[in-house]
Amino acid sequence: MSDLRVHNFTISLDGFATGEGQAADAPFGHAGERLHEWMFATRFWHEMGGRRAGTTGADNAFAAMHGAGIGAEIMGAGKFGPPGWQDDPDYTGAWGSNPPFHTPVFVLTHRPRPSVEMEGGTTFHFLDASPAEALKTAREAAGGQDVRLGGGPSVVRDFLAERLVDHMHVVQIPILLGRGVRLWDGLEALDEAYDIEAVSTPSGVTHLTFTAKRE
Amino acid sequence: MSDLRVHNFTISLDGFATGEGQAADAPFGHAGERLHEWMFATRFWHEMGGRRAGTTGADNAFAAMHGAGIGAEIMGAGKFGPPGWQDDPDYTGAWGSNPPFHTPVFVLTHRPRPSVEMEGGTTFHFLDASPAEALKTAREAAGGQDVRLGGGPSVVRDFLAERLVDHMHVVQIPILLGRGVRLWDGLEALDEAYDIEAVSTPSGVTHLTFTAKRE
């Protein structure tokens, strides 16, 4: 069975994965780009833009796990586009004409629409489904490879609550956002289902990895 | 001017410094002793009990900062005793006849009572005061040494909100409590006032230190 994996999922010290006030020009609300500056500094990030630059230390090693062995992604409606995108039948996502996924992507929404094929191998499919159902569909599309759970926080939380996530990489950065959407709400005793490691790096972030305990 | 310092203040991954259901036999509620197992393993902790045992690594180095140069402590009513202690005029705290403070301790309560002198140099004083007023009183009692802010979470939060804390050591452990009292609520942009370091140790905990930026 292929794994369901979360990568590069970044939260503030007070646990917010996105700020308040999400909009087309502010996908993370008042957090701005601060949550992901650690990643923008890495070679992983620069190489996605075709540049041979960026750090090659521990942050980069974690970041680069993002794509390897992934055959499909599941994302929430809030990652696909800003609030209200469902009202525009021609909207094709916040990710440009060549989105950085290059696999089938299953967008969870209560208002599904026909699939959209983009450049570079990404096809967006729209599902109104439970976490378990969505995972089953994404696994079939992944052709034996793993499925990435792309966020946002409420989607990750829903899949964690049902213990569907096999591997999770959370990056905690030393800022306090004060408001937004928390990752950890309602996940009491989640630690009992995972082996958890913490590694702080010189850039000031802490990488937390969760590996599901097998029977 | 002497510093106000927080030490060994431990939170779960989801930010709770104490669980739900605090009582005389459960000072941290449903969290039990899990929040402080990292500290119970250290030489610092064993030596307080007169035993030459325990780890001497990074966790111990941080833990041992607790007492050095401290001339007084400020604590909240919830650290002094379980809910309802104010109704017992003879109550002298949850810390035994020889409390581990060995300095004046200022207990914040809306129902002050006469001071109580304990064995070993600890005297409990009871204050109904604002954070700034309490700090002024504790500084005078500290005789030029630093003041420790002992918790709990709502007290630390109140002093942080007024930027009265000079040094703070927070220990984050990889458990999810799900409920209780959070440290970080309402502290947006706190990071702008501090230099923050993060260090994960082999025991699985992450030490976060906050050093106030000077003008």
Side-chain angles (χ1 to χ4, degrees), chain A residues 172 179 182 185 188-189 200, chain B residues 172 176 179 182 188 200:
Chain A
Q172 191 184 54
R179 52 206 163 95
R182 280 202 178 89
D185 279 355
E188 179 174 347
S200 305
Chain B
Q172 191 183 54
L176 284 108
R179 52 207 164 96
R182 281 203 178 89
E188 180 174 347
S200 305

Side-chain angles (χ1 to χ4, degrees), chain B residues 48-59:
Chain B
M48 282 206 302
R51 299 175 300 275
R52 191 165 176 82
T55 62
T56 56
D59 289 347

